[in-house]
Amino acid sequence: KNEVEQSPQNLTAQEGEFITINCSYSVGISALHWLQQHPGGGIVSLFMLSSGKKKHGRLIATINIQEKHSSLHITASHPRDSAVYICAARGGADGLTFGKGTHLIIQP
Amino acid sequence: GAGVSQSPRYKVAKRGQDVALRCDPISGHVSLFWYQQALGQGPEFLTYFQNEAQLDKSGLPSDRFFAERPEGSVSTLKIQRTQQEDSAVYLCASSPLGQGNSPLHFGNGTRLTVT
């Protein structure tokens, strides 16, 4: 069973700061997903990665397959970025193993 | 529709009642997943379908939980004799392919409260 660990669990930062959220997993995967969940809302898929780096607007996701580690970065953070960010590892059986999430608060 | 649709959005059930939660995936999506998310926790895998075949049900917490997708599109998650520990948000996700590197699309979830 894949173990997915996220850090930090909670993060409060000031508007404009550069944010990094980390995710590590224990066994080989076919893809890693970064998801965003707003309070009371559904889950939005931000990125799906199997190698390298992806960028979308102010969001950047990287993955190191050898080290079994991925990071999500937010540049020029804004209060609307406040949400729970979840990484999820997809293994060969096609099930997903989720991290517990990082609660991010960006203060104006 | 444009996305994954789940209904009802909220469900309150008395302990011991049976409930049925519906998921309408994006049309044509092969894979469908059900997850359970307890308050303050990350989602936990329940079960996975590829078309109408239930390929993995290892996450279903007890035999009170049953899921089906008889025609390979709409899926229903049924919980019999609900217990208070079943209170959670039940999330459905679909993806267009059966492979592991296929993007996921999530519904807004059904929040089940068992009183």
Side-chain angles (χ1 to χ4, degrees):
Chain A
K1 186 178 187 293
N2 211 346
E3 302 290 333
V4 177
E5 300 286 339
Q6 275 187 247
S7 63
Q9 189 174 351
N10 296 285
L11 177 57
T12 299
Q14 294 298 121
E15 184 173 357
E17 285 189 38
F18 181 81
I19 303 299
T20 296
I21 300 170
N22 295 300
C23 176
S24 60
Y25 51 93
S26 59
V27 300
I29 60 171
S30 55
L32 186 124
H33 297 260
W34 280 103
L35 311 167
Q36 181 192 57
Q37 187 172 35
H38 284 277
I43 292 179
V44 174
S45 179
L46 299 175
F47 294 103
M48 183 185 68
L49 291 167
S50 54
S51 65
K53 175 179 172 178
K54 287 190 176 179
K55 184 175 189 292
H56 186 259
R58 295 181 294 105
L59 300 177
I60 303 165
T62 63
I63 189 167
N64 185 316
I65 298 295
Q66 287 73 29
E67 295 186 3
K68 296 186 174 61
H69 181 269
S70 176
S71 293
L72 176 69
H73 306 284
I74 305 175
T75 61
S77 59
H78 190 276
R80 64 174 173 267
D81 298 327
S82 299
V84 176
Y85 292 84
I86 304 170
C87 73
R90 193 159 177 189
D94 284 319
L96 271 185
T97 304
F98 292 81
K100 293 193 185 305
T102 295
H103 294 247
L104 174 65
I105 297 173
I106 304 297
Q107 295 177 333
Chain B
V4 178
S5 177
Q6 289 188 248
S7 61
R9 187 79 172 90
Y10 302 94
K11 176 69 179 177
V12 178
K14 290 190 190 305
R15 194 164 66 95
Q17 277 186 329
D18 297 349
V19 298
L21 312 180
R22 178 186 170 106
C23 173
D24 276 277
I26 293 174
S27 179
H29 276 200
V30 169
S31 297
L32 186 145
F33 303 83
W34 282 99
Y35 303 97
Q36 180 191 57
Q37 186 175 22
L39 189 64
Q41 301 294 315
E44 297 278 347
F45 170 78
L46 292 176
T47 187
Y48 160 61
F49 290 86
Q50 194 170 109
N51 297 309
E52 70 278 4
Q54 190 174 21
L55 298 189
D56 188 346
K57 55 181 180 179
S58 62
L60 296 176
S62 79
D63 58 8
R64 296 185 296 103
F65 285 71
F66 172 76
E68 60 182 5
R69 193 186 185 199
E71 296 177 0
S73 56
V74 171
S75 178
T76 304
L77 176 67
K78 297 179 180 176
I79 309 173
Q80 297 176 322
R81 304 181 303 281
T82 51
Q83 303 293 316
Q84 283 191 316
E85 62 263 28
D86 300 334
S87 296
V89 174
Y90 290 85
L91 294 162
C92 175
S94 70
S95 68
L97 302 174
Q99 293 97 324
N101 60 354
S102 178
L104 286 170
H105 303 261
F106 283 83
N108 285 327
T110 293
R111 182 177 296 279
L112 172 66
T113 304
V114 181
T115 60

